[in-house]
Amino acid sequence: MERNAFFDNAKVILIFLVVFGHMIQPFAADSNTINAVYTWIYIFHMPAFIFLAGFFAKGIGDMKYVWNLFKKILIPYLIFQLVYTFYYFGIGKPDWDSSILDPQWSLWFLVSLFSWHMLLIVFKKIPMGFSISAAVLVGIIAGYFGEIGQTLSLSRTLVFFPFFLTGYFLTVSHVMVVKKHFMKIAAVAVMAMFFGLVYFMPDIDTGWLLASQSYSDLGADNEGGIIRFTVYIAATLMTFSIFTFVPTQNLGWITGLGAKTLYVYLLHGFIVQFLRQFDILSVNQWYDFVFIIIMSALIVIVLSSQFILTLTQPLVELRTKKLRALFK
C-alpha cells in the first residue's frame, strides 16, 4: 500500500506514547497524576497500534505469504529474545531468564502479530460484523481460563485480536470519518471523561488494559466478562478519539518517522530497562516529568536515525542493504 501521511503521523504519535508509557511506568505508584496519565495512555495506545497493524495486513494467506511473515516477524523475535536475555543478564536484571515461549517484555507483540495474521486467514472469510463479534466473544471467553496466559502471548493475542481484525476490514474512507468536525467535539469529551475517570479512580487495575491475566488473577471471576467488554468499548472510543486529532498533512521528517516505528519498538527496551535497572530517572518536580517527555521524544528520533537503522537492519529486517551501501 502507498504511504499515507495520516497513518504515518498516527504511528509516530503512538510509538512516542509506547516509549513514554514505559518511561513513566515505575513512577505511576508514587503520583496520582502520573498514574492517571499512565492508565489513560494504556487504555488506547496498544489497541490503536494493533488496529493500524491490521489495517495494513492485506496479504492473501498462501504459503508464500506465511513464509514471508515467518521471516519478517518470527525470526526477528527469536533474535531479539536471545539478545534481550543476554542484555538483561548483563545489566543484572533479576528476571532475565526466560524461555523462548515466554517473550521478553515488549516482544510479545511480535508473537501476537504473527498469530493475528494466521487468525486472519480464517476470520477474513466471515462477514465483517459476524467476524468482529466472534473475535470479541473469544477475547471475553479467554479471560475465564487461567491456562491461557503469557506463554507465547496467547492471552494478549486473543484479547487484542478484535482491534487487528477491525483494522483489516476498515478502509481509508471509513477511518477518515473521524476527521469530521463534529467528531472532534465528541472526541474531546470522550478523552476528558476517561482521564477524569482514571484520575478520580486511581485504584483501577491496569492489568485489565495489559490483557495478559485471567479474570481470576484480576479478582473478578464472575464479572470479568462484563469488565472486559467495557474495556473493549473504552479502548475503541479512545482509539478513534485520538485518530480525530492526527494530522493528515505530511509533516516532513516527523511523518517520515512513521516508517521506522518497528525499530523504535524493538530497540527502546535497551534504553528503558537500563534506566530502570540503575534508577537513573526520578520524578520529584514537574520539570522532571517534562524532562521524561522530551527524553521519550529524543529516543524515538534517535532510534529512527539513519545511523541506528544501518547498524540494526540485519537484526530487524535480516537485511544488510544499508550496511553494504555504507561501505560502498
Side-chain angles (χ1 to χ4, degrees):
M1 298 178 66
E2 293 183 7
R3 301 214 72 88
N4 181 305
F6 169 83
F7 293 104
D8 277 338
N9 291 335
K11 289 168 70 176
V12 174
I13 294 171
L14 292 172
I15 197 62
F16 164 77
L17 292 176
V18 168
V19 176
F20 178 62
H22 287 154
M23 292 281 279
I24 65 172
Q25 185 178 14
F27 314 111
D30 303 325
S31 165
N32 188 35
T33 301
I34 295 177
N35 180 66
V37 172
Y38 171 77
T39 305
W40 186 80
I41 289 172
Y42 268 72
I43 292 174
F44 68 89
H45 81 313
M46 284 313 298
F49 220 109
I50 292 163
F51 171 87
L52 293 180
F55 185 85
F56 290 100
K58 307 301 184 185
I60 57 175
D62 59 15
M63 286 308 298
K64 182 179 178 181
Y65 167 77
V66 174
W67 174 243
N68 284 335
L69 285 175
F70 179 83
K71 290 189 296 182
K72 291 180 179 180
I73 300 174
L74 286 191
I75 293 181
Y77 164 71
L78 296 174
I79 292 172
F80 275 91
Q81 179 77 353
L82 185 63
V83 171
Y84 266 111
T85 297
F86 280 109
Y87 178 72
Y88 288 165
F89 175 76
I91 64 175
K93 196 171 184 291
D95 53 346
W96 64 272
D97 190 14
S98 180
S99 76
I100 206 72
L101 300 180
D102 296 307
Q104 293 280 25
W105 198 40
S106 59
L107 296 183
W108 68 268
F109 180 74
L110 292 184
V111 180
S112 291
L113 183 59
F114 181 82
S115 302
W116 292 325
H117 278 275
M118 296 301 99
L119 289 170
L120 192 59
I121 295 174
V122 174
F123 277 79
K124 71 180 182 180
K125 298 177 181 178
I126 306 172
M128 181 175 68
F130 291 107
S131 185
I132 295 174
S133 298
V136 169
L137 184 61
V138 169
I140 290 173
I141 293 174
Y144 288 105
F145 296 89
E147 299 81 3
I148 300 176
Q150 299 186 43
T151 302
L152 285 176
S153 187
L154 183 56
S155 178
R156 281 170 166 156
T157 297
L158 298 178
V159 174
F160 284 130
F161 180 57
F163 299 104
F164 185 87
L165 189 60
T166 302
Y168 171 80
F169 277 118
L170 296 191
T171 64
V172 174
S173 59
H174 290 143
V175 178
M176 287 300 108
V177 170
V178 303
K179 304 306 292 182
K180 294 183 181 296
H181 181 68
F182 74 90
M183 291 294 291
K184 291 186 177 182
I185 299 173
V188 170
V190 167
M191 292 189 291
M193 178 187 70
F194 280 112
F195 187 81
L197 179 67
V198 297
Y199 185 85
F200 292 106
M201 297 179 65
D203 295 329
I204 293 176
D205 192 339
T206 54
W208 290 102
L209 309 177
L210 300 177
S212 59
Q213 296 173 280
S214 68
Y215 301 149
S216 179
D217 293 334
L218 293 167
D221 295 270
N222 298 321
E223 67 275 21
I226 297 173
I227 297 175
R228 175 153 292 166
F229 184 69
T230 304
V231 171
Y232 274 140
I233 295 173
T236 301
L237 291 174
M238 281 292 292
T239 293
F240 287 102
S241 294
I242 292 298
F243 285 165
T244 300
F245 294 95
V246 173
T248 56
Q249 66 270 31
N250 192 311
L251 303 177
W253 65 271
I254 295 177
T255 300
L257 298 178
K260 306 159 187 174
T261 53
L262 181 60
Y263 282 83
V264 179
Y265 188 87
L266 292 176
L267 299 173
H268 81 282
F270 294 108
I271 300 173
V272 173
Q273 292 292 354
F274 182 86
L275 295 172
R276 287 186 185 183
Q277 185 64 24
F278 297 102
D279 294 321
I280 293 174
L281 294 179
S282 62
V283 179
N284 300 311
Q285 303 292 338
W286 65 268
Y287 47 78
D288 295 326
F289 189 73
V290 174
F291 175 75
I292 291 179
I293 293 175
I294 296 171
M295 191 173 181
S296 300
L298 289 175
I299 288 173
V300 173
I301 294 170
V302 170
L303 295 183
S304 302
S305 67
Q306 195 62 36
F307 175 73
I308 296 298
L309 265 60
T310 300
L311 287 182
T312 59
Q313 189 186 39
L315 297 178
V316 178
E317 297 185 49
L318 308 181
R319 299 168 62 198
T320 58
K321 181 180 179 180
K322 295 182 184 297
L323 275 175
R324 286 186 280 110
L326 178 66
F327 285 110
K328 284 181 181 180

